[in-house]
Structures are given as structure tokens and as C-alpha cells.
Amino acid sequence: MLNSGSSSVKYRLMSGNERLASGTIERIGEPGSPAADHETALKIVATELAEKGLGLDSPELVAIGHRVVHGGTTFTEPTLITEEVVRKVQELIPLAPLHNPANLAGIEVARRLRPDLPQVAVFDTAFHSTISPAAATYAIDREVAGRLRIRRYGFHGTSHAYVSREAALAVGRPAGNVIVLHLGNGASASAVSAGRCLDTSMGMTPLEGLVMGTRSGDLDPAVVLYLARTGGMSLDEIDTLLNRRGGMLGLCGDNDMRAVQERLADGDPDAELAFSVYCHRLRKYVGAYYAVLGTVDVIAFTGGVGENSPLVRLTALAGLEALGIAVDPGRNARGERLISTDDAAVKVAVIPTDEELEIARQTLEVISRTNRG
Ligand code: AMP
């Protein structure tokens, strides 16, 4: 599978659930990088695979799965790539101007290298296509929203799909209700019932929702107007302030949770405020999605922060015993798969995400469906 981003290409070669090879080509186009563009990056991928005896020309290769960030309302499931699919992904570029062109660059090069091979697009937004109109619609003029395709789409879909399924299986409730907290550099929450997403915290763009490494998450939309009118900032400056200099970075100068926690241990007041804003927002979403779902079988933490920070997990869920949520401090500190107390009605799980495996699985599903059809 290929994850062709704006400045990097990640690849993983899978046979069933087994990883045969993987790697990342970084800083594409930057001075000193081995790859000046995506074409060169993919050729490096091909060479790296060939060196391991697993070349792109191998007859055993059955398909290539591509991560595509924005599928809009056009793509609600993984899709076999054709000329028409490429054209439709191009039409969605205004909704994801940084990501979709990079994803398309990877698709184009891979199709040129192996035109005979089925290639599948797996969309970040697709898992969230099941959210109801009530959850997807912003309360603004419907004509404007419709014309400009403004609605909640949600992102990190492959991670939410993978983690919600694994968490439900981990507690023996495959058709259960799950709250997924994907906490990485970007962060998002989702409410999932019987494998269907009912609501998610990222919106039309990946800026909405939780506090992230460098993104503000939720904010009074009038702040944007105020920054422009009274603060005299340009739209590009506001974009940078909210997307690149917001979140933990904006609050305390560090976007890495490890650094924030080290400062916290030294009693640094900026780190304390940043950490408390982060955990307060998380807790609000847990409460909101509890109400959306009605009952909750399991809350699943994932992503770099969710998988590795016992302090975030403990703080975000502290004092929620009345809701049936209680974290066992020992299990939590050890990062066990289930970290709730035995008698808690709502289980709490730590589930390492695996977006690459999920993309490979979904790709194979499309291929076997196509072959059957
Ligand atoms: P991801 O985007 O899922 O790769 O997550 C990356 C983020 O995970 C980093 O920026 C860190 O903030 C966070 N992280 C990684 N390891 C730890 C850790 N041991 N404790 C707290 N946060 C961590």
C-alpha cells in the first residue's frame, strides 16, 4: 500500500496480515532529499523493494492500495481506480488542496509503473460517510453550504475503522458501541455503533474538534472574523495561526506531548494549562459521544499520544465513575490492552492503530469483490 503525502511517501508490502517490507521516503522536494518529486520517490520505493527481492514487477503482487485523504460525498467506500475515479478525485482537490494532489501524484506514478495491476483508493473520509444529516450539517444557509460542499466529512477514517473493530472484538462485543479517541499529531474522536460511524469530531477540514499538536480544534468561528477585522491578520496568517501554530504548540511552545509532560513534571505553568485544555476537550467529547451512543461498551485510545501516555488517559477519564468509566491505574501505567477496572461497565482499551494494514485489507476486499463480480 502507498501513502503518498505532500512531503513523504510511505509504503508497506503485505502478504495477508504479514508485513514483508516497509519504508518511508521523506522530505520530498526539499534540499538534500533523495527525491525531488513523487515520481523519483516512487522509483526509490521500487528500487528498495527490488533490493529485497520483492520488486514492483513481481507477478505475486496482486494490487496496490492508495490512501486518499478526501473522498467528499462521492466516495463512501474503497474504490477500484479508473480514469473516471482519478477525475473525480481531482474534482475534490478544492476540499483538500494539500493532500489530494499528493495522493493523486502517487496514483499516477504507480499506474504508470504497473498499468496492468488493479489499484484501489482507500479514502480517509469514507468511514464517516454513515453519520446522519443531523451530525453532518452545519447550521448555516443551506444554499451556500450545498453550493460549496460545506459539511462534516471527518478524517482518520481508516484508523477509526480499524480501532473501533479491534476494540469491539477485544471486549467480546463485535456489534457494540465504541468511542474511539485517535490522539496523534492530529487528533479526532468518533462514536461508532455496530461498525457504523455515528459522529466524528473533525469536520469539513481536519481543523475541527480536539486540541492537536499544532491545530486549535474547536473555536468560536467569530474568532476568525475578529482576527481579520480587529487583529488585521490576512486569511493566510489566520490559517497558519490555527493550523500550524495552534494547539499544544500555540499554548505552550511544544507540540510533542512527551516534552509537554516533562515540563509538567517540573511544574511549568504553560505546560500545565496546555495539558489541562487538551484533557478537558477530550473529556467533553467523551461525554458528547456517550450521549450520541446512549450506551458505551468500550472507549479506545490510539495514536502516538493515546497509545503511549498513561497520564492523558487517566486525566481525561478521571472522575467519570458515575458513567461506569473507571481506569485501573496499574493496568494503565503498564499500557495493557484493557485498562479499565474489572467492575467498570464501560471498558477502556489501548489499541495500537494500523492504518496500513487496514488499507491493505480494504484493498484486498475490493479486489476479491471485483473478481467475484
Ligand atoms: P502519531 O501522529 O500518531 O504518530 O503521534 C505522534 C505524537 O505522539 C508525537 O508528536 C507525540 O506527541 C506523541 N507521543 C509519542 N510517544 C509518546 C509518549 N511516550 N508519551 C506521550 N506522547 C507521545
Side-chain angles (χ1 to χ4, degrees):
M1 82 100 222
L2 277 176
N3 182 351
S4 176
S6 50
S7 63
S8 70
V9 170
K10 289 188 194 144
Y11 68 92
R12 195 192 288 185
L13 185 64
M14 307 280 298
S15 175
N17 283 347
E18 192 193 343
R19 178 197 310 213
L20 301 180
S22 61
T24 309
I25 318 298
E26 278 172 336
R27 297 183 295 111
I28 296 172
E30 286 179 27
S33 164
D37 52 30
H38 283 82
E39 172 117 27
T40 323
L42 259 95
K43 287 191 174 143
I44 297 174
V45 172
T47 311
E48 287 187 9
L49 286 173
E51 279 167 7
K52 292 175 182 146
L54 304 161
L56 273 186
D57 52 355
S58 159
E60 282 167 58
L61 196 58
V62 292
I64 301 181
H66 295 267
R67 175 180 182 219
V68 179
V69 166
H70 218 307
T73 49
T74 316
F75 297 105
T76 56
E77 52 182 29
T79 306
L80 191 68
I81 297 173
T82 60
E83 281 308 317
E84 165 141 32
V85 169
V86 169
R87 195 176 49 70
K88 287 185 174 160
V89 174
Q90 280 166 343
E91 280 171 15
L92 295 165
I93 287 176
L95 292 175
L98 293 180
H99 293 101
N100 274 24
N103 305 151
L104 278 166
I107 291 172
E108 260 168 47
V109 181
R111 290 181 87 209
R112 226 178 305 134
L113 292 175
R114 280 300 303 268
D116 56 313
L117 206 61
Q119 311 215 10
V120 173
V122 179
F123 298 91
D124 260 23
T125 46
F127 182 65
H128 306 301
S129 65
T130 50
I131 67 177
S132 66
T137 308
Y138 293 119
I140 62 170
D141 185 290
R142 291 190 63 197
E143 188 279 323
V144 174
R147 181 161 41 85
L148 293 173
R149 300 184 281 185
I150 298 170
R151 54 162 278 160
R152 178 180 309 287
Y153 293 101
F155 298 88
H156 290 145
T158 48
S159 177
H160 286 280
Y162 177 82
V163 172
S164 58
R165 189 174 54 234
E166 293 292 317
L169 288 174
V171 298
R173 303 291 292 270
N177 288 348
V178 188
I179 295 175
V180 178
L181 303 171
H182 175 112
L183 313 176
N185 240 328
S188 59
S190 68
V192 180
S193 180
R196 284 171 66 84
C197 185
L198 302 188
D199 204 352
T200 191
S201 61
M202 282 181 167
M204 171 166 165
T205 78
L207 181 57
E208 194 179 347
L210 301 174
V211 177
M212 312 183 206
T214 67
R215 282 173 248 163
S216 65
D218 292 341
L219 164 102
D220 178 347
V223 169
V224 175
L225 309 179
Y226 181 80
L227 287 168
R229 288 190 187 130
T230 309
M233 293 178 80
S234 70
L235 291 180
D236 283 344
E237 285 169 340
I238 297 172
D239 187 343
T240 303
L241 186 82
L242 302 182
N243 271 303
R244 297 182 193 280
R245 285 178 37 221
M248 298 304 273
L249 184 68
L251 284 167
C252 73
D254 263 313
N255 63 319
D256 191 314
M257 189 57 85
R258 283 165 290 203
V260 176
Q261 287 183 186
E262 276 169 27
R263 288 170 56 188
L264 206 59
D266 296 336
D268 179 320
D270 291 340
E272 271 173 19
L273 178 67
F275 190 80
S276 61
V277 174
Y278 185 97
C279 291
H280 180 77
R281 185 80 54 85
L282 252 182
R283 185 188 194 65
K284 274 209 319 200
Y285 270 93
V286 169
Y289 288 170
Y290 203 124
V292 166
L293 290 164
T295 59
V296 178
D297 293 295
V298 52
I299 298 171
F301 283 91
T302 193
V305 177
E307 291 165 30
N308 297 302
S309 176
L311 191 62
V312 165
R313 299 191 296 253
L314 199 63
T315 311
L317 299 184
L320 298 181
E321 288 78 8
L323 298 178
I325 302 170
V327 170
D328 178 285
R331 290 174 182 166
N332 181 44
R334 290 189 294 277
E336 290 181 12
R337 198 164 168 85
L338 283 185
I339 59 169
S340 38
T341 58
D342 286 335
D343 54 357
V346 177
K347 302 299 169 206
V348 182
V350 179
I351 309 284
T353 193
D354 197 337
E355 292 171 271
E356 287 77 15
L357 175 59
E358 183 64 24
I359 291 173
R361 275 186 192 165
Q362 293 194 15
T363 298
L364 277 183
E365 264 170 42
V366 172
I367 300 305
S368 45
R369 220 187 303 144
T370 313
N371 290 345
R372 277 200 307 271

